[in-house]
Amino acid sequence: MALRESEAFVLMTYPLAEADKIVVLFTHLYGKIRAVARGARRPKSRFGACLEPLSEVFASFYEKESRELVALRSCELLCSPFERAVTPEGEAFLHHVAELVDAFQPPAEPQPPVYRLIRATRDAFLRGAPLPALAVYFETWMLKLGGFFASLEACAACGRTLRPDESIWITREGTPRCERCGPPLGGHAIAPSLRRLFAEVLKRPPGEWASLPTARETAQLRHLLRQLLRDVLERELKTALLLDVSNSRA
């Protein structure tokens, strides 16, 4: 039985038996793991408030080669985002980020760029960045890091460089096509203004980018990204509707 230690983000938890929890962690060193937290459901659990979604912890766990679940030994809370998650929209945002990471990341594959993205998004969240735009930023980068969002500078069909002022189509796989090559089956149109905003996502930190789009542009981007995520994952994210409803009430 090997003892492992790593910084980690808590993604979600599930009840197990009467007093325990299964915890899904995205660790910096070992990727996504599933751990059993013994006694975590007891009122005086040693894990305390460490197991809330998107809490960053220093986790220590035992791993057996023949078992899928590891045994969580201890958690030290490094940063909790819940000072801003007291609102419905804040809580919905954290759950949405956690579900996206869980959906895109396979087990036991370290992804330092994704870990840095979560941390930067968490920090922007704590500094008060607008949540709908911050969700757009995170969704775009998750698609990009997952290999589903190609550069929007050239047509994937004919190779022609796309002018900054022309609308384009993007396929269900996330590759661009110019209007001359025609709309692909199930493709999505992207106006020039939205293309520019997507380009800025790749250049700016999340808090800075989240101040750029108007409310209308944010809504348009969110609609497009929701369709792309549905195409890529072949299902609707459970937290997508919750996030939309909570932000409409904010």
Side-chain angles (χ1 to χ4, degrees), residues 13-23 35-52 72 75:
T13 63
Y14 305 96
L16 177 67
E18 293 184 1
D20 308 331
K21 285 183 179 181
I22 293 176
V23 185
V36 176
R38 300 292 182 189
R41 298 177 66 193
R42 295 194 179 107
K44 296 183 178 181
S45 165
R46 69 180 186 277
F47 298 109
C50 288
L51 303 183
E52 299 295 338
L72 194 60
C75 272

Side-chain angles (χ1 to χ4, degrees), residues 18-238:
E18 293 184 1
D20 308 331
K21 285 183 179 181
I22 293 176
V23 185
V24 183
L25 296 169
F26 185 68
T27 71
H28 186 249
L29 297 180
Y30 307 102
K32 188 174 73 174
I33 63 171
R34 289 162 54 86
V36 176
R38 300 292 182 189
R41 298 177 66 193
R42 295 194 179 107
K44 296 183 178 181
S45 165
R46 69 180 186 277
F47 298 109
C50 288
L51 303 183
E52 299 295 338
L54 265 289
S55 292
E56 189 173 15
V57 300
F58 186 79
S60 173
F61 55 92
Y62 291 108
E63 183 178 43
K64 279 190 176 180
E65 189 172 334
S66 59
R67 292 187 179 179
E68 178 186 352
L69 292 172
V70 305
L72 194 60
R73 177 175 173 265
S74 64
C75 272
E76 176 188 349
L77 185 63
L78 301 178
C79 182
S80 171
F82 269 69
E83 62 187 64
R84 194 186 174 193
V86 293
T87 61
E89 59 272 16
E91 184 177 4
F93 176 83
L94 294 179
H95 283 283
H96 185 60
V97 169
E99 187 185 13
L100 275 166
V101 177
D102 186 50
F104 272 90
Q105 298 306 302
E109 289 190 14
Q111 293 287 345
V114 175
Y115 197 92
R116 292 194 296 270
L117 172 64
I118 301 170
R119 181 177 281 167
T121 303
R122 184 273 319 276
D123 291 345
F125 171 84
L126 289 175
R127 288 193 293 267
L131 297 185
L134 196 56
V136 167
Y137 185 95
F138 191 82
E139 291 165 353
T140 302
W141 265 109
M142 287 301 294
L143 285 165
K144 181 70 175 178
L145 293 174
F148 300 104
F149 219 150
S151 168
L152 303 182
E153 296 178 358
C155 176
C158 68
R160 182 176 66 85
T161 299
L162 299 166
R163 300 190 316 273
D165 62 343
E166 69 178 301
S167 297
I168 65 168
W169 292 88
I170 190 164
T171 69
R172 298 182 67 176
E173 291 76 32
T175 56
R177 292 183 64 166
C178 66
E179 291 189 313
R180 296 178 190 175
C181 292
L185 182 64
H188 312 287
I190 303 182
S193 61
L194 300 188
R195 282 180 59 200
R196 288 192 289 271
L197 286 168
F198 275 129
E200 290 298 324
V201 165
L202 307 181
K203 302 175 184 177
R204 299 173 184 259
E208 183 180 318
W209 183 89
S211 65
L212 297 180
T214 64
R216 181 181 180 183
E217 289 171 333
T218 298
Q220 292 172 329
L221 289 167
R222 290 230 59 224
H223 178 71
L224 172 62
L225 286 164
R226 187 169 177 178
Q227 292 176 312
L228 288 172
L229 288 167
R230 188 190 301 122
D231 291 342
V232 168
L233 299 173
E234 299 183 339
R235 64 180 176 86
E236 187 78 61
L237 288 166
K238 295 178 181 178

